[in-house]
Amino acid sequence: MFPPISLEILVLALGFILLLAESFSNSTNKRGLAHIAIFCLGWIFAISFFTASAPATLAPGSYWNFYSGDGVSLVFKRIALLTTIAVLVLALDYESTLAKLLPSAHKGAGTGEFYILPLFTCTGLMLMASAVDLVMAFAALELVTISFYVLVAYARRSHASLEAGVKYLILGALSTGFIVYGITWIFGLTGETHFTKVAEKLAHLRGDDTAILFAFLLVLVGLGFKVAAVPFQSWVPDVYEGAPTPVTAFLSVGSKAASFLLFLRVLEPFLGVESILPKVLQVLAIVAGATLIFGNLAALPQNSLKRLLAYSSIGHAGYLLTAIACIGAGGSLLLGVGTTVGYYLFAYMLMTLLAFAVLTLVSVNSKGEEIQHFNGLSKRSPFLAFAMVVAMSSLAGVPLTAGFYGKFLVFAQIIQAHQWGLLALGVITVGAGFYYYFRVVAAMYWHDPLETTPITVAPLSKITISLLIASIFYFGINPNPVLSALRTSAPSVAAAAH
Amino acid sequence: MSPILFWLFTALMLAFGTSVVLNRDPVASALSLVASFLCLSALFVGLDAFFIGVIQILVYAGAVMVLFLFIIMLLDLKAEQRRQFNRLSLAGGGAVAVGFMFELLHVLNSFSIGKNPFPPLGVARLDDVRQVGITLFTQFNLPFQTVGVLVLVASVGVIVLSRRELK
């Protein structure tokens, strides 16, 4: 059995080796780098099934004060690894578009780092999933965010990409400011940064409810930016639309998944403070409701599929926040909510990556990302059209898909908590979701194509897309493998705090 | 630290900070930022945190801001045009800022620890360089190494994004 941190070390080593290989080799073909990275990440993913789970310790001066290798973090690490693999496959498809948007000396020049930087992002995402200390969480979060600043602005000759990069940089820095300020308040109140110790100290603080609530709100604002919760979502549509498509997929899946796990871990100490619990849950319910309404209603009139997926990403953040807001009194249900959130994010990863894989191929071939570019896709490539139908059905929540079971878990959570207002909102927004997701399906099957050239799909992309389709059905019918992986070990913080 | 010095340096720091935002000449803005950092380091020194105070001057005021000034002068940036702000967004931004200030005042008012003066530190002179080093390299080693990777990613990113012609 390997220790859990071996995954991060391996990905990091892979990144260093490829970075050196890229700078010292004379080869002008950078595609090999991506192939090596995909191959090695596949092996690292396999190794993740042979890692021993090791919860964080509280020994003074130990490495493992910062790092928890519990079962939930392992699932999120697998999500990060799979996302990175898929993003690299998408990046290979996207190469022809990206090469035009770079000031390159010769063909394909400058694309090397586009395949290598995601590896460092992946390391950051995995460290974030394991962080059980505010300092560690912040360092990992910044590693992720800074590599995303570069990736979003990567297509330098595209104004949209540069604009997206600057917007993301400024708003990301603002949200970082909120998180750091929140951390200083938490540290000021408790004198600790480890989540377990923070939980202990917070539970015994008396008479400082306002200050605790303030610290919670600051962290909520900061992490709300990262997970695209309303009212901190204003950057999402522009950044998602301007960024290179593979990066958009990475942002909407990888960054969101790791941020949600971190959010759960940060939230937990605050749930132990009984005097502010009703207020915390109320704030969460309001944010969740607003996110649900805004994400789903703003997606309705969108004509660009990339923008539509951006709003849908906000909408899905809404469902996840709704599940979190229904934690119930005492916070004892966190394990249940952790499972719901983990499964939902896993399903969200499958369907969103599938949608972005098709979007990348269509946009490279049709020079556009509007829904009209999908017109008549069933005639140009029945395979891609079918893949998109599966992705859209799963995003909308059609039964037998992974997306349905994720929504089912969320609604079960809402009913358990008797949150009837959120339930009504959830039902209405799911209905809205059916409308805008199936507009894409209608365009593909019932509209005449703008152009008739068939789209050829590279073998690697074909395998990836087929695997994603198969997993959406498999985990929609049999979700148990993911659920049991999430349930095997309680988050160490929960075990220690209660 | 004498309260007079504290208020003096705080006021100066805030005044220079405001002038960073209000100045339209980028050189003046950058110099105001240097002055603001100097006052901040004076506050650190007043708290007996000599190491952080010195680092503040060496790294921020010395290295980073001088680099900023070089870039500003190399690019020969001119004073910005006064921009027309949308009234609604101006009002919205102002409302958020004022709201946040009142919230902060309310929180500080009801914050029991905040009302008591901070107890004096036991040792007047800490060997702070050694303490910072030990904390960083032993206790906080894992986050420290993560930050190392972060710096690598940032420097790769800067080269990728700024190189005139990619090879």
Side-chain angles (χ1 to χ4, degrees):
Chain A
M1 296 298 256
F2 297 91
I5 203 167
S6 56
L7 299 177
E8 282 92 341
I9 294 176
L10 285 171
V11 177
L12 202 56
L14 180 65
F16 286 140
I17 293 169
L18 289 183
L19 208 53
L20 288 173
E22 205 270 334
S23 29
F24 286 107
S25 82
N26 295 320
S27 160
T28 52
N29 184 7
K30 311 283 186 195
R31 295 176 68 88
L33 292 171
H35 286 124
I36 298 172
I38 292 167
F39 179 76
C40 295
L41 283 175
W43 275 106
I44 297 171
F45 177 69
I47 289 174
S48 79
F49 288 93
F50 298 98
T51 50
S53 79
T57 59
L58 282 169
S62 163
Y63 252 58
W64 315 116
N65 286 352
F66 299 94
Y67 185 95
S68 156
D70 54 47
V72 177
S73 75
L74 205 56
V75 174
F76 278 81
K77 279 177 200 187
R78 288 185 197 133
I79 291 182
L81 283 168
L82 289 177
T83 310
T84 316
I85 294 175
V87 165
L88 289 175
V89 174
L90 297 196
L92 282 171
D93 287 333
Y94 192 72
E95 194 208 12
S96 58
T97 309
L98 181 73
K100 279 179 218 142
L101 297 173
L102 290 175
S104 33
H106 47 81
K107 192 178 169 296
T111 52
E113 283 84 0
F114 194 67
Y115 305 131
I116 300 170
L117 283 174
L119 296 174
F120 292 105
T121 317
C122 180
T123 314
L125 291 172
M126 293 202 290
L127 285 171
M128 229 168 119
S130 275
V132 286
D133 186 286
L134 287 167
V135 177
M136 186 66 217
F138 181 68
L141 184 69
E142 279 311 283
L143 174 57
V144 172
T145 318
I146 290 206
S147 56
F148 268 127
Y149 293 153
V150 181
L151 285 170
V152 167
Y154 205 95
R156 270 161 64 189
R157 283 202 177 153
S158 147
H159 284 296
S161 177
L162 280 182
E163 190 194 322
V166 171
K167 262 188 190 155
Y168 190 44
L169 176 68
I170 292 174
L171 286 173
L174 184 68
S175 76
T176 302
F178 274 104
I179 292 181
V180 176
Y181 195 35
I183 290 176
T184 54
W185 268 92
I186 295 176
F187 183 72
L189 282 165
T190 62
E192 302 286 353
T193 54
H194 193 289
F195 290 148
T196 312
K197 288 184 185 164
V198 168
E200 277 168 18
K201 287 273 171 71
L202 279 185
H204 294 107
L205 276 183
R206 290 279 172 272
D208 277 328
D209 287 355
T210 327
I212 299 175
L213 206 56
F214 186 59
F216 165 71
L217 286 179
L218 287 172
V219 177
L220 176 73
V221 171
L223 286 175
F225 268 106
K226 307 285 177 205
V227 302
V230 175
F232 320 111
Q233 87 302 344
S234 57
W235 60 278
V236 175
D238 291 341
V239 172
Y240 278 32
E241 196 181 18
T245 313
V247 177
T248 311
F250 208 5
L251 255 183
S252 81
V253 181
S255 166
K256 190 177 293 247
S259 303
F260 260 108
L261 182 59
L262 184 59
F263 185 55
L264 279 180
R265 290 203 206 264
V266 177
L267 183 63
E268 194 165 11
F270 291 99
L271 293 177
V273 191
E274 266 160 41
S275 46
I276 64 160
L277 189 66
K279 280 184 184 161
V280 167
L281 292 180
Q282 208 174 359
V283 169
L284 282 175
I286 292 170
V287 171
T291 313
L292 272 181
I293 298 175
F294 180 85
N296 284 291
L297 295 191
L300 289 175
Q302 298 306 323
N303 284 321
S304 154
L305 184 63
K306 219 169 165 184
R307 241 180 139 76
L308 190 150
L309 286 172
Y311 283 108
S312 114
S313 144
I314 301 176
H316 285 281
Y319 293 112
L320 286 159
L321 284 168
T322 310
I324 296 176
C326 294
I327 275 178
S332 54
L333 286 170
L334 187 70
L335 194 55
V337 174
T339 314
T340 306
V341 170
Y343 183 83
Y344 198 102
L345 282 167
F346 176 76
Y348 176 75
M349 168 193 79
L350 294 176
M351 53 213 193
T352 308
L353 288 178
L354 184 58
F356 274 107
V358 180
L359 172 64
T360 309
L361 283 164
V362 172
S363 72
V364 167
N365 281 282
S366 317
K367 314 279 175 287
E369 287 153 344
E370 306 285 309
I371 292 180
Q372 57 176 356
H373 290 109
F374 283 78
N375 284 357
L377 187 67
S378 63
K379 295 191 186 75
R380 297 176 69 193
S381 170
F383 174 66
L384 286 184
F386 175 69
M388 203 57 171
V389 171
V390 174
M392 289 297 144
S393 321
S394 185
L395 282 166
V398 173
L400 297 184
T401 58
F404 169 76
Y405 196 74
K407 285 218 170 66
F408 175 80
L409 287 175
V410 170
F411 279 100
Q413 201 93 50
I414 300 175
I415 291 168
Q416 252 178 8
H418 305 292
Q419 291 270 16
W420 307 120
L422 283 177
L423 182 70
L425 274 183
V427 172
I428 294 168
T429 50
V430 168
F434 267 90
Y435 170 74
Y436 61 79
Y437 289 126
F438 279 90
R439 260 176 71 205
V440 184
V441 177
M444 289 190 302
Y445 283 92
W446 285 290
H447 290 219
D448 289 326
L450 293 178
E451 48 188 324
T452 49
T453 44
I455 299 175
T456 49
V457 186
L460 190 61
S461 317
K462 205 166 220 166
I463 296 170
T464 313
I465 291 175
S466 311
L467 281 176
L468 285 171
I469 295 174
S471 332
I472 286 178
F473 284 123
Y474 178 74
F475 291 107
I477 296 165
N478 179 19
N480 283 329
V482 183
L483 293 179
S484 60
L486 282 162
R487 281 186 187 133
T488 42
S489 73
S492 62
V493 183
H498 296 292
Chain B
M1 181 177 204
S2 119
I4 302 167
L5 284 179
F6 171 80
W7 287 113
L8 177 71
F9 284 122
T10 311
L12 277 175
M13 188 180 77
L14 289 177
F16 281 116
T18 319
S19 101
V20 174
V21 185
L22 293 183
N23 256 313
R24 272 176 293 153
D25 183 6
V27 178
S29 274
L31 285 175
S32 306
L33 198 55
V34 174
S36 176
F37 283 150
L38 288 178
C39 299
L40 183 62
S41 80
L43 287 179
F44 279 127
V45 169
L47 291 169
D48 282 354
F50 300 106
F51 179 64
I52 301 179
V54 171
I55 285 292
Q56 185 77 28
I57 293 178
L58 278 182
V59 177
Y60 284 98
V64 176
M65 284 321 295
V66 169
L67 207 64
F68 260 51
L69 279 173
F70 267 128
I71 294 168
I72 291 168
M73 288 174 178
L74 273 177
L75 295 180
D76 196 19
L77 293 179
K78 297 282 182 299
E80 274 182 62
Q81 293 292 313
R82 186 171 283 280
R83 270 189 298 165
Q84 283 295 315
F85 281 107
N86 183 347
R87 267 199 201 146
L88 194 69
S89 60
L90 212 59
V96 170
V98 172
F100 191 73
M101 202 183 76
F102 274 106
E103 193 183 347
L104 201 55
L105 282 179
H106 171 66
V107 171
L108 287 175
N109 230 353
S110 62
F111 184 42
S112 60
I113 308 168
K115 284 178 189 155
N116 307 325
F118 196 77
L121 294 173
V123 192
R125 289 194 188 281
L126 297 166
D127 48 349
D128 48 0
V129 183
R130 190 163 156 267
Q131 292 295 340
V132 168
I134 287 176
T135 314
L136 209 55
F137 293 114
T138 62
Q139 210 181 334
F140 284 78
N141 199 312
L142 191 61
F144 183 67
Q145 294 190 37
T146 310
V147 173
V149 179
L150 188 157
V151 173
L152 173 82
V153 170
S155 48
V156 170
V158 165
I159 294 168
V160 167
L161 291 183
S162 64
R163 208 162 159 179
R164 190 159 290 170
E165 198 167 62
L166 294 162
K167 283 183 188 142

